[in-house]
Amino acid sequence: MASAKGAALAPPCWDDATLSRAQLIERVWSEGGARYRDLPWRNIDDPYAVLVSEVMLQQTQVARVERYWTRFLGRFPTVDALASASASDVLEMWQGLGYNRRALALKRAADACAAHHGGTLPCDLDQLLALPGVGPATAAGVRAFAFQLPGVYIETNVRTVFLHELFPQHQKVADRTLEPFVRDTCPLGRAVGGEGAASPDVRDDPRAWYYALLDYGAYLKSQVQNPSRRSAHYARQSSFEGSHRQKRSFALRLVLDAPEGLSVAEVAMALDAFEQQQGRPAPGFDFASKLVDQLAGEGFFLVDDGLVRPA
């Protein structure tokens, strides 16, 4: 991957869009501002707390994250607190949010920040991207929301606005098509001489700009057929019931509740009983053994002397 700083930046072609740059900016400020959501992780300058919210919000509804974010930060209020915690403690606090890999990635990001950044989260884009589990959208979100720095922040609600307003008739629109427009409309923030000398039609506030995009996008998804379905990156989430994800979640919960350890046979028996209670076939010992190996390989479990324990 080329350096985020050194990559060539393609200019947007506004002639291909249904609105001009000025029209889009005016609409987003108006529509998004009118639907502002006062969420607990907004308008704060703590980059670690912002990172926690960004990771939790990946593939998880806002209402559920609202129930977990404050509790998680109460247990792990700083980068160093999270870095010094055990993986099992972090996973315990994460239960109910799903996609548990995110919890381990967040823990590993905290480990890296504690080891290499003095217990703080860097604001440099390349340094953020080097952290475990931090991709371009997460890094841009931390920079905009915690540091008031510009960037290309594309997630489902932001994508929804640009698809709906600029490309209403297009199908399979790739993010690389949207990126120049997202970059061109983002305010300059603190990036220009410390004063944020933004162009006259853009308020100098990357944080508020992306809040407006997020809130307008959330509103659009409730009013029209979800425009993000026309994205080349759209994928319908598979059902959780009966899925491999559910079996992973069950096994993880089972082992977290047994810190003294369980044998693979005990994990298999419990998983078989759970699946049969749901009217599904028992997966069997071989499946459970492979599942334990998979979760151990990802850092969720420790397997020692035939016993499976939380990592």
Side-chain angles (χ1 to χ4, degrees):
M1 175 179 173
S3 167
K5 293 178 180 177
L9 304 180
C13 182
W14 286 96
D15 290 341
D16 294 338
T18 56
L19 294 180
S20 70
R21 178 176 181 272
Q23 288 172 326
L24 176 68
I25 289 170
E26 180 181 2
R27 183 161 299 177
V28 170
W29 281 127
S30 174
E31 296 290 341
R35 295 168 175 86
Y36 177 77
R37 295 173 294 175
D38 188 17
L39 301 170
W41 49 83
R42 288 190 168 183
N43 299 299
I44 60 175
D45 297 322
D46 179 354
Y48 164 68
V50 170
L51 175 65
V52 173
S53 71
E54 286 297 300
V55 174
M56 285 186 172
L57 286 163
Q58 295 167 6
Q59 299 176 293
T60 304
Q61 294 179 340
V62 168
R64 180 175 293 181
V65 173
E66 283 189 276
R67 299 197 298 268
Y68 283 84
W69 181 79
T70 301
R71 188 182 69 148
F72 190 90
L73 287 176
R75 180 76 175 271
F76 312 114
T78 64
V79 165
D80 286 336
L82 185 58
S84 64
S86 68
S88 60
D89 285 345
V90 176
L91 289 166
E92 182 68 34
M93 293 299 293
W94 197 269
Q95 290 306 293
L97 276 171
Y99 297 97
N100 293 293
R101 288 189 186 94
R102 296 177 299 168
L104 285 187
L106 185 59
K107 156 76 172 150
R108 289 165 182 158
D111 292 344
C113 289
H116 305 297
H117 299 290
T120 63
L121 210 66
C123 67
D124 179 81
L125 179 57
D126 288 335
Q127 289 181 339
L128 283 170
L129 289 171
L131 297 176
V134 176
T138 301
V142 169
R143 282 167 54 84
F145 301 136
F147 296 109
Q148 281 285 27
L149 292 170
V152 179
Y153 179 62
I154 300 180
E155 58 79 74
T156 181
N157 287 334
V158 173
R159 189 181 289 119
T160 291
V161 173
F162 282 86
L163 287 169
H164 178 76
E165 296 291 0
L166 300 186
F167 302 103
Q169 304 303 321
H170 292 62
Q171 301 291 331
K172 301 295 182 182
V173 181
D175 282 353
R176 66 177 176 272
T177 300
L178 303 181
E179 284 172 5
F181 296 92
V182 178
R183 181 183 299 109
D184 194 41
T185 52
C186 180
L188 298 179
R190 297 174 181 168
V192 181
E195 298 297 328
S199 55
D201 58 342
V202 180
R203 195 183 312 166
D204 181 29
D205 196 340
R207 173 192 284 173
W209 170 249
Y210 279 121
Y211 288 163
L213 278 166
L214 289 168
D215 295 343
Y216 184 30
Y219 168 75
L220 284 172
K221 283 160 54 175
S222 72
Q223 298 298 309
V224 300
Q225 185 177 22
N226 188 354
S228 66
R229 294 181 182 179
R230 294 188 286 102
S231 166
H233 311 282
Y234 175 78
R236 185 183 295 273
Q237 189 177 43
S238 60
S239 173
F240 182 70
E241 282 299 315
S243 67
H244 188 73
R245 285 190 297 123
Q246 187 180 39
K247 295 177 179 65
R248 282 172 55 98
S249 179
F250 176 85
L252 179 60
R253 177 74 265 174
L254 183 74
V255 174
L256 287 176
D257 287 341
E260 71 283 358
L262 295 170
S263 67
V264 176
E266 288 174 312
V267 174
M269 290 174 59
L271 183 57
D272 284 352
F274 173 75
E275 288 295 300
Q276 289 174 325
Q277 287 170 2
Q278 309 306 311
R280 297 187 289 263
F285 179 85
D286 287 346
F287 177 90
S289 180
K290 291 178 182 177
L291 185 60
V292 165
D293 288 344
Q294 180 185 61
L295 289 167
E298 294 174 13
F300 290 100
F301 293 164
L302 297 175
V303 182
D304 185 37
D305 291 332
L307 289 180
V308 185
R309 295 187 176 90

